[in-house]
Every structure is written in C-alpha cells, then in structure tokens.
Amino acid sequence: MSEETAGFEEEPDVPSGDADEAAESTEDAAAPAGDVTDTALLAQLDQARTALSERTADLQRLQAEYQNYRRRVERDRVTVKEIAVASLLSDLLPVLDDIGRARDHGELVGGFKSVAESLETVVAKMGLQQFGKEGEPFDPTIHEALMHSYAPDVTETTCVAILQPGYRIGERTVRPARVAVAEPQPGAQPGGAAKAEESDDSEKDSE
C-alpha cells in the first residue's frame, strides 16, 4: 500500500547494535559509583576499628593504673598501721622489761601477775614477738652487743647472755636484742678441727 495509515507515525528503526552499546555504557557508568561507595565504607570501617583499638588501649591503661593505685593505697595503709602499732608498743617495752625482771626474781604474783599476763596477751595479739636466746649466733641486724669477751668453747661470735630481749612485729624490728657476746680465742682452732687433728695423731700413734 502506498498510502500511510492515518493517525499513526512510523517509528524510526534503531539498529539493535546501537541499543546494546547504550546499555553497556550505562552499566559502565554505574560501576565506578559502586566501587567508590565500597571504598568509602571500607575506609569508615578502618577508622572505626582504629578508634576502637585506641579506646580499648586507653581503657586497659586506666584499669592498670587503677589497680596500681589500689595496691599502693593498700600497701600504704598497712605501712601506716604497722608504724602506729610499733610506736605504741615501743612505749610499752619498758613496762614489759619490768614484767620480765619481776618474773625472773619471783615477784610476779597476785593481781600484778594477772595484769602483767593480760598485757602480754594483748601485745601478742597486736603482733609483738619477743626474740633473743642464749647460744644463738650473733646477728648484727637483730642483736646489739653491749658486752664482749672471748671463750674457748665457741666456734663463732655467739650470744652468751641476753641483757634485754628484742621485739619485732612481723619483719619489722621494734628493738634489737641487747646481748653479751663471746668470740673464739684469737689463734684458737675450731673445736671440730682440733678433734680431727687429735684423731689423726692417735691413728698415727697406733700405727
């Protein structure tokens, strides 16, 4: 038919190849936008992880500082308590010395004995311990030598008399033991060595 249908216009033919190229170009244009979005999200995620790591490190540091502070406060509290108790008990040592001398002379009797024993019980509960015995080796960190002599029957510097007992609270020395010490005779051989030589001499004589 040569005549065109009235009221209708023919659409121009579009080659299929051009349509495909247009679709591909649209997809290529959309692809870079998606990559940019993913990169931005990854960057934000890295920032969040970095911030979290920093906050966690800050929290751990604060926790460690707090634990150190608590330990320091507890240590100082114990130290202050020990100093206060030691100061109080130091003032009572002359009384304890008088009680000890009265006991040695048989004068700790009657009501005085009950009071003295009650006082000794109280100070023992507060951690006060007496030390110092005859025959123990002399230790300058806990003994104070007031008298000195030489003796043939000792092999080292030895406490031969306790003039005043020492007192301690835990590892803290409140008062050293005041003692008389004896040392081996100058040039004298230890008892063990002398006995060993005597034994050797006797064996030689027997041969």
Side-chain angles (χ1 to χ4, degrees):
M1 294 178 63
S2 59
E3 294 180 358
E4 296 180 357
T5 305
F8 294 93
E9 294 181 357
E10 293 183 358
E11 295 180 357
D13 294 335
V14 178
S16 60
D18 294 341
D20 293 339
E21 290 177 0
E24 290 177 357
S25 63
T26 302
E27 291 176 358
D28 293 341
D35 292 342
V36 171
T37 302
D38 293 342
T39 302
L41 290 175
L42 290 174
Q44 291 178 358
L45 181 59
D46 289 339
Q47 290 178 354
R49 288 174 176 171
T50 302
L52 178 60
S53 298
E54 292 176 352
R55 299 299 179 273
T56 302
D58 291 340
L59 180 60
Q60 291 175 344
R61 183 170 59 256
L62 289 174
Q63 187 175 14
E65 291 177 355
Y66 177 67
Q67 293 296 335
N68 291 334
Y69 169 76
R70 286 186 59 185
R71 285 193 291 267
R72 185 168 61 253
V73 169
E74 180 65 18
R75 185 172 60 251
D76 292 344
R77 185 184 67 82
V78 172
T79 301
V80 170
K81 179 181 178 181
E82 289 180 351
I83 292 174
V85 171
S87 178
L88 171 64
L89 294 178
S90 295
D91 293 336
L92 292 176
L93 294 186
V95 179
L96 296 175
D97 291 336
D98 291 339
I99 292 173
R101 282 190 290 268
R103 181 178 286 113
D104 293 338
H105 290 84
E107 298 175 356
L108 198 62
V109 294
F112 178 47
K113 179 179 180 182
S114 299
V115 173
E117 292 177 348
S118 297
L119 178 61
E120 290 174 336
T121 301
V122 170
V123 297
K125 287 183 178 180
M126 296 177 69
L128 187 68
Q129 298 177 343
Q130 186 181 105
F131 67 89
K133 294 181 179 179
E134 294 182 7
E136 64 184 7
F138 175 75
D139 183 351
T141 62
I142 60 174
H143 296 137
E144 180 182 353
L146 300 183
M147 298 177 64
H148 176 271
S149 62
Y150 294 99
D153 57 343
V154 297
T155 59
E156 59 181 340
T157 305
T158 305
C159 300
V160 294
I162 306 300
L163 307 179
Q164 268 189 338
Y167 290 95
R168 67 165 64 96
I169 301 175
E171 299 299 325
R172 179 190 297 272
T173 300
V174 179
R175 185 183 74 185
R178 292 164 179 166
V179 300
V181 299
E183 290 184 294
Q185 290 286 353
Q189 295 179 342
K195 291 181 180 179
E197 289 183 358
E198 291 176 359
S199 176
D200 293 339
D201 293 339
S202 62
E203 290 178 357
K204 291 179 180 178
D205 294 338
S206 63
E207 292 176 356

